[in-house]
Amino acid sequence: MNTAPTRVLAPGYEIPRLIKGGWQLAGGHGPVSADAAIADMMAFAEAGITAFDCADIYTGVEELIGGFLRAWRDRHGPNAPAIRVHTKCVPDRDVLPVLTFAHVEALIDRSLRRLGVDTLDLVQLHWWDYAAPAWLDAAGHLATLQRAGKIRHIGLTNFDTAHVRAIVNAGVPVVSHQVQVSLLDRRALRDMAAYCREQGIGLLAYGALAGGFFHERWHGAAAPAEPLENRSLVKYRLIIDEFGGWEAFQQLLDRLATIAAAHHTTLGAVAVRAVFDEPDVAAVIVGARHAAHLTATLAALDLTLHDHEREALAALLAAAPGPAGDVYALERDPSGPHAGIMRYNLNTAGERVS
């Protein structure tokens, strides 16, 4: 088994700095073979990527990871290397106005069953609508479940800086915040990064590959026509528009292609490495769907960007008009295009929790 660089996220809790994401295995991204998905996870873990990210609303993904955990123990025995599984607690938007401790506990208990574990390593709270005021109560409910032994560590995902501060000030022991970070989206690297650094909260960055747009297939290509082939491309096409549009994105790909050629690597490796090198980023979540992407994913670990390459990227990014605002602010705007692709009630739509 290989190893990857690690970071201590909390006392006694160390994670690899590359994490395999699970959203690409959820509904809306094409058919998934359970056997193939588990074999792919095995390949990533054997390569040293021993942490996996998922969510209760990623249809079928917790169960897939649960199957992988059983296969991992079968292969390696009682002394199997530790696997970290980070899931999310995402109460449905329709439930938020009436959310109780029982609702949250039911979600956590279901994740425990699906994954086949006694304790969840890290649970990351997501909250759709701040107008539903129980967001602080929900974070407190997770802290209660942590004291009961059902949760090892508590994280957040997609909160803005003011709400992270309020949750921390309420005494919830937050160790991580999962946020979108890429060469296209720097929102989390402003006020959020400064606050999290002050509080010792590690940023877990998703979206470094922009759903696959940081790939040679898009370099020099015309803007894609709708309908796009999956939800990831829809989501990150909107981020490209916020960045400055398709022409500005092509200029960024030109710069990345020059850097990649100098290092005999790929556009994606350069894009991931740029996020990996951000000092406030504890780990990068890469949504590689298949083990066929493993070599390209690992290439980012072997890459060292030169100062002049970083400076060239920084100059280009400084000229970009957006995305603007705090973390997830665009996605929370009900009148904007980003909110239009959200699916707000996946928990009770897939399986009743009460």
Side-chain angles (χ1 to χ4, degrees), residues 197-219:
R197 185 187 323 127
E198 173 189 310
Q199 297 297 321
I201 297 170
L203 297 182
L204 304 180
Y206 70 88
L209 289 171
F213 274 115
F214 282 123
H215 190 280
E216 283 73 11
R217 68 179 285 206
W218 297 110
H219 184 213

Side-chain angles (χ1 to χ4, degrees), residues 226-267:
E226 296 186 0
L228 300 180
E229 61 189 80
N230 60 55
R231 291 183 64 218
S232 292
L233 292 179
V234 174
K235 170 183 172 65
Y236 290 103
R237 180 67 177 90
L238 292 172
I239 294 297
I240 289 171
D241 289 341
E242 298 288 347
F243 178 76
W246 194 253
E247 182 177 348
F249 177 56
Q250 287 299 314
Q251 292 173 357
L252 176 57
L253 290 185
D254 287 343
R255 190 69 50 86
L256 290 178
T258 299
I259 296 171
H263 292 272
H264 306 287
T265 191
T266 65
L267 296 178

Side-chain angles (χ1 to χ4, degrees), residues 172-189:
V172 178
V174 176
V175 303
S176 67
H177 189 200
Q178 186 176 144
V179 288
Q180 185 168 288
V181 182
S182 72
L183 287 171
L184 292 169
D185 187 354
R186 319 294 284 169
R187 289 174 291 176
L189 300 179

Side-chain angles (χ1 to χ4, degrees), residues 56 88-92 95-96 98-112 120 123 125-127 134-146 150-151 154 347 353-354:
D56 53 6
K88 301 179 189 72
C89 178
V90 189
D92 285 351
V95 174
L96 301 185
V98 296
L99 188 82
T100 65
F101 174 79
H103 284 111
V104 175
E105 185 174 35
L107 291 173
I108 295 305
D109 286 345
R110 190 180 62 181
S111 291
L112 288 166
L120 300 173
V123 175
L125 176 66
H126 177 86
W127 195 261
W135 52 269
L136 187 56
D137 292 336
H141 297 332
L142 292 181
T144 299
L145 292 167
Q146 181 185 43
K150 295 186 178 185
I151 297 171
I154 296 171
N347 260 314
V353 179
S354 60

